[in-house]
Amino acid sequence: MDQKRPVRVRIIDVATEAGVSKSTVSIAFNNPQRLSAETTARIRSVADSLGYRPHPVARMLAQRQTRTLGILTPQALTVAFGNPFFSMFSQGVASVGEEFGYALLYVSPLHGSLARAAGQASVDGFVAIGLGEDHPEVEEIRSAGLPIVLVDSAAFPEHGSVEVDDEGGAFAAAQHLVELGHTDFLIIAVEPPYFAVGSDVVSPVLDGVMSRRMRGYRRALEAAGIELADERVVTGSAGFDGGVGAFNRGLDSGLHFTAVLVMSDAMAIGAIHAANERGLTVPGDVSLVGFDNIDEAEHTHPPLTTVHQPAREKGAAAARLLLAAIDRRGSGQPEHRRLGTRLIIRESTSRVAGERQEVNSET
Amino acid sequence: MDQKRPVRVRIIDVATEAGVSKSTVSIAFNNPQRLSAETTARIRSVADSLGYRPHPVARMLAQRQTRTLGILTPQALTVAFGNPFFSMFSQGVASVGEEFGYALLYVSPLHGSLARAAGQASVDGFVAIGLGEDHPEVEEIRSAGLPIVLVDSAAFPEHGSVEVDDEGGAFAAAQHLVELGHTDFLIIAVEPPYFAVGSDVVSPVLDGVMSRRMRGYRRALEAAGIELADERVVTGSAGFDGGVGAFNRGLDSGLHFTAVLVMSDAMAIGAIHAANERGLTVPGDVSLVGFDNIDEAEHTHPPLTTVHQPAREKGAAAARLLLAAIDRRGSGQPEHRRLGTRLIIRESTSRVAGERQEVNSET
DNA sequence: CCGGTTCAATAAACCGGTTCGACAACTCGG
DNA sequence: CCGAGTTGTCGAACCGGTTTATTGAACCGG
């Protein structure tokens, strides 16, 4: 049995082998111009032949920086990565992270506790996606002296934040359908209990986002004098399947509707699929508007009308704010950014079909 | 200007305040039963009131473990996260990571060097997605004494690995079309230069995967006596848009084909969309088989026939192998796992239409 | 009253680097 | 030939914890 125990080469080994002190070795790597060329060369070659790599953790400790950005999510990663939107957001964070040489650490609740998970993460700062008021980990992190940028939540003015105009986007979506003459609506929301583990509070994150969207829908409908009965709001789990389930439930409840507002594209794609399966054509029988504008929304059949939110820019902006906060180490004002949303009209929506044309063209 | 400089509370502060030594404080947290109940309680309460959190990096250094799993990808994260498959894989890794209390660190090339990036990552081990033979970072990591599990590559028998039967899946896909009577094929591949930065070698990863799939296609066609001209293989960037581009290019080249084999679902979805835009119906005019079986494949119109690969299980298996390797610290045999693929027949494929219909008139 | 246990708490070493101040040797102007 | 700078290297302290061997006090039976 060849015990392949590749004992790590330490800086002291290199120093001994090269006949210098460990400070000198360290300098040879981090500040070569302070050393004579030959010494540097010798140390380098010894290090190479020994296969020396500075221990990243020791280095982090001494330099007091990790060159790592943390992404904090109150949902399990298995659910987070199930949402294409999250991937796009990640792309944004990653793009600026990579540019500045930072790796990405994903932190999700461990054994139900996000705070504990955050506590044992070695990062220079956090991007927290949707931590609402009652999330104690924000305080936790602050007391650890780490900067944090909140996404989809402005509950903590003392920290940077990046938001998106959810309400405005939702309003535009609903208004668009109203203008097409629709009066009978179904709303598909993502259901609140996103996960339920351990003793921690359950994520009110999406709750915030979703309730803002709901507000936008409601405002537009009210403005058009359309009343929205509670049973016209159905929910399902985030993700494609949740969309088919919710749509079917809406259908089965016996409601009549010609327009569906869906709070996420993933669910909207599921809903389109469900509609087809049930013999309904989109947008002939039912018009449908999603939210997010994920990449696949353009390629559905029919292409999905949806509210674009700049997910990648959101991630990038959050990362930039965080890097800035890391740089100035606690001083300076936190920045708050709010990005726009806009309605993308494709082909999943159309004027309401002939007969029930009780047009309410005022507003 | 209130300088909010939340100086971190250190263990020594707690010790002083509680009138004990720092060892005692450490024990109070990690081995409470060794201490008298009252001392523990007092220390805990002092720590609470001071807001003490053990410094994760210091702790990692002392304990020689990070409780973090590294995910190594030779592509920039911006491109990796653009592929739904990657998200599914991540879900798998995350699910077992979360179960055992590990966070996830994504490591991608920094300034063009994956080796450098890997070197400064503080993890207990790596899951490397598709590192081919000529990737020096594997040796690099081994010499750092860290375990590594290779995914989609068995180039290093001394490390654990998880693979998938790409060739078999591709074979089944092609055979299915052959059985439906198709003889005129187009193959859409993902183009090799996935990125090109710095001095490092460009990822041969996907290359390996893609060439295995190609081999599968070819074998099935040859078995049916169908010859595949080189110009019938078109490429595009991974992702939806790459699919539409490639499909259009195939169409524009004047080739006649009734069947398309696409090496990824994302591209297949783009291809379906492109086909519709060009007035072709799927599967009426052209049959189409994807690869991966991502979640959205079920909800396309028509639902996509594709080769299922167990992406989540792949991630989970890799993570489990890695955790096992971390546990036994270098001893023990590396394990190699190979997972199956299977053809999922949905509705994007059908028997070839009667006569030699002229599919494409001109551009 | 004494040697042997047990229990609680501690001092010191350690994890593996970085960094600061000091020092010796060498250079150079006067 | 002396004193002031430079230059190259080193020792020691430090980052913030954990861990091991040790100590001192209390306990206990003989």
Side-chain angles (χ1 to χ4, degrees):
Chain A
M1 289 297 147
D2 56 326
Q3 281 288 78
K4 51 165 178 178
R5 182 156 313 192
V7 264
R8 204 179 228 282
V9 179
R10 293 153 310 172
I11 197 172
I12 187 67
D13 302 322
V14 177
T16 308
E17 182 72 18
V20 295
S21 74
K22 58 181 196 150
S23 336
T24 309
V25 177
S26 176
I27 292 170
F29 280 96
N30 303 315
N31 233 348
Q33 71 280 11
R34 276 186 47 194
L35 249 42
S36 75
E38 52 186 334
T39 312
T40 300
R42 179 162 43 90
I43 292 177
R44 285 265 176 83
S45 93
V46 169
D48 272 6
S49 71
L50 259 45
Y52 168 70
R53 304 290 149 202
H55 193 297
V57 178
R59 180 184 257 259
M60 285 176 181
L61 182 61
Q63 294 188 151
R64 260 153 296 181
Q65 60 153 334
T66 64
R67 299 208 71 91
T68 302
L69 264 29
I71 297 189
L72 214 59
T73 137
Q75 317 168 37
L77 290 178
T78 36
V79 357
F81 278 123
N83 191 344
F85 162 77
F86 188 72
S87 301
M88 294 173 72
F89 177 81
S90 294
Q91 287 183 299
V93 178
S95 68
V96 354
E98 278 167 348
E99 183 182 349
F100 292 94
Y102 282 74
L104 250 49
L105 182 77
Y106 282 83
V107 180
S108 59
L110 292 182
H111 309 307
S113 166
L114 184 56
R116 180 159 39 244
Q120 64 184 56
S122 68
V123 300
D124 290 337
F126 284 104
V127 167
I129 183 153
L131 253 47
E133 280 92 359
D134 41 0
H135 265 271
E137 25 279 324
V138 175
E139 173 54 28
E140 182 100 7
I141 290 166
R142 204 201 51 71
S143 87
L146 291 178
I148 179 169
V149 170
L150 285 304
V151 174
D152 281 338
S153 156
F156 303 86
E158 69 273 28
H159 299 291
S161 72
V162 177
E163 276 191 298
V164 130
D165 183 15
D166 286 299
E167 183 172 341
F171 181 86
Q175 195 181 36
H176 167 62
L177 288 170
V178 166
E179 283 168 357
L180 290 173
H182 294 275
T183 53
D184 296 338
F185 283 81
L186 180 73
I187 291 185
I188 296 185
V190 357
E191 60 193 5
Y194 306 96
F195 70 104
V197 260
S199 54
D200 265 12
V201 190
V202 156
S203 160
V205 184
L206 290 182
D207 238 356
V209 172
M210 296 306 156
S211 63
R212 284 197 290 277
R213 293 183 186 173
M214 184 60 98
R215 203 152 49 224
Y217 291 154
R218 283 217 138 90
R219 242 184 51 219
L221 297 185
E222 275 167 21
I226 297 169
E227 197 174 325
L228 186 71
D230 281 353
E231 67 266 26
R232 287 183 173 271
V233 179
V234 299
T235 65
S237 63
F240 304 99
D241 294 336
V244 349
F247 186 89
N248 283 330
R249 236 168 295 124
L251 219 49
D252 294 339
S253 66
L255 293 167
H256 173 262
F257 55 89
T258 61
V260 185
L261 289 160
V262 192
M263 292 201 185
S264 94
D265 279 358
M267 292 185 82
I269 291 174
I272 291 184
H273 182 68
N276 287 338
E277 268 187 339
R278 300 290 290 263
L280 298 175
T281 66
V282 177
D285 296 316
V286 50
S287 284
L288 217 134
V289 183
F291 208 116
D292 285 347
N293 193 27
I294 61 179
D295 293 342
E296 35 273 77
E298 192 180 342
H299 302 107
T300 55
H301 181 83
L304 186 66
T305 294
T306 191
V307 178
H308 172 81
Q309 75 157 311
R312 296 193 178 86
E313 293 95 282
K314 206 160 143 183
R320 268 190 289 266
L321 256 49
L322 181 56
L323 287 181
I326 290 173
D327 267 357
R328 56 176 146 64
R329 272 272 139 234
S331 65
Q333 295 305 313
E335 204 176 328
H336 300 276
R337 296 201 51 188
R338 160 174 278 255
L339 307 175
T341 51
R342 68 174 193 279
L343 182 67
I344 310 270
I345 300 178
R346 287 198 271 249
E347 298 162 34
S348 66
T349 48
S350 69
R351 184 151 286 280
V352 68
E355 40 193 76
R356 273 186 71 90
Q357 192 90 305
E358 39 192 272
V359 182
N360 57 323
S361 52
E362 25 76 66
T363 343
Chain B
M1 287 297 148
D2 57 327
Q3 281 288 79
K4 51 165 179 180
R5 182 156 312 190
V7 265
R8 203 180 229 285
V9 179
R10 292 153 310 173
I11 197 172
I12 187 69
D13 301 323
V14 177
T16 308
E17 181 73 17
V20 295
S21 74
K22 59 182 195 148
S23 334
T24 309
V25 177
S26 176
I27 292 170
F29 279 97
N30 304 315
N31 233 347
Q33 71 280 12
R34 274 187 49 193
L35 251 42
S36 75
E38 50 185 335
T39 313
T40 300
R42 178 162 42 91
I43 292 177
R44 285 264 176 86
S45 94
V46 168
D48 271 5
S49 71
L50 259 45
Y52 168 71
R53 303 291 148 199
H55 193 298
V57 178
R59 178 184 258 260
M60 284 176 181
L61 182 60
Q63 295 188 150
R64 259 153 297 183
Q65 59 152 340
T66 65
R67 300 208 70 90
T68 302
L69 264 29
I71 297 189
L72 215 59
T73 138
Q75 317 169 37
L77 290 177
T78 35
V79 356
F81 278 123
N83 192 344
F85 162 77
F86 188 72
S87 300
M88 294 173 71
F89 177 80
S90 293
Q91 287 183 298
V93 177
S95 69
V96 354
E98 278 167 349
E99 182 182 349
F100 293 93
Y102 282 74
L104 250 49
L105 182 77
Y106 282 83
V107 180
S108 60
L110 293 183
H111 310 306
S113 167
L114 183 57
R116 178 159 40 242
Q120 65 185 56
S122 68
V123 299
D124 289 338
F126 284 104
V127 167
I129 182 151
L131 253 47
E133 280 91 359
D134 42 1
H135 265 272
E137 25 278 325
V138 175
E139 173 54 29
E140 181 101 7
I141 290 166
R142 203 199 52 69
S143 87
L146 290 178
I148 179 171
V149 170
L150 285 305
V151 174
D152 281 338
S153 156
F156 302 88
E158 70 272 30
H159 299 292
S161 71
V162 177
E163 275 190 298
V164 130
D165 183 16
D166 286 299
E167 183 172 341
F171 181 87
Q175 196 182 35
H176 168 62
L177 289 170
V178 165
E179 283 168 357
L180 289 173
H182 294 274
T183 53
D184 297 339
F185 283 80
L186 181 73
I187 292 185
I188 296 185
V190 358
E191 60 194 5
Y194 306 98
F195 71 104
V197 260
S199 54
D200 264 11
V201 190
V202 156
S203 161
V205 183
L206 290 181
D207 237 355
V209 171
M210 294 309 155
S211 64
R212 284 196 291 276
R213 293 183 186 174
M214 183 60 98
R215 203 152 49 225
Y217 291 153
R218 283 217 137 91
R219 240 183 52 219
L221 297 186
E222 275 166 21
I226 297 170
E227 197 173 325
L228 186 71
D230 281 352
E231 68 267 26
R232 287 183 173 273
V233 179
V234 299
T235 65
S237 63
F240 304 100
D241 294 337
V244 348
F247 187 89
N248 282 330
R249 236 168 295 123
L251 218 50
D252 294 340
S253 67
L255 294 167
H256 173 262
F257 56 88
T258 60
V260 185
L261 289 160
V262 192
M263 292 200 186
S264 94
D265 280 358
M267 292 186 81
I269 291 174
I272 292 184
H273 182 68
N276 288 337
E277 268 188 338
R278 300 291 289 264
L280 299 176
T281 66
V282 177
D285 295 318
V286 50
S287 284
L288 218 134
V289 183
F291 209 115
D292 286 347
N293 193 26
I294 61 179
D295 293 341
E296 35 272 79
E298 191 179 344
H299 301 107
T300 55
H301 181 84
L304 186 66
T305 294
T306 190
V307 178
H308 172 81
Q309 75 157 311
R312 295 192 179 88
E313 293 95 283
K314 206 161 142 182
R320 268 191 289 266
L321 256 50
L322 182 56
L323 286 181
I326 290 172
D327 268 358
R328 55 176 147 63
R329 272 271 138 236
S331 65
Q333 294 305 313
E335 203 176 327
H336 300 275
R337 296 201 49 188
R338 160 174 279 256
L339 307 175
T341 51
R342 68 173 193 279
L343 183 67
I344 309 270
I345 299 178
R346 287 197 271 250
E347 297 162 36
S348 66
T349 48
S350 70
R351 183 151 286 282
V352 68
E355 297 303 311
R356 240 194 98 81
Q357 49 184 113
E358 211 55 36
V359 159
N360 68 306
S361 14
E362 25 53 89
T363 53

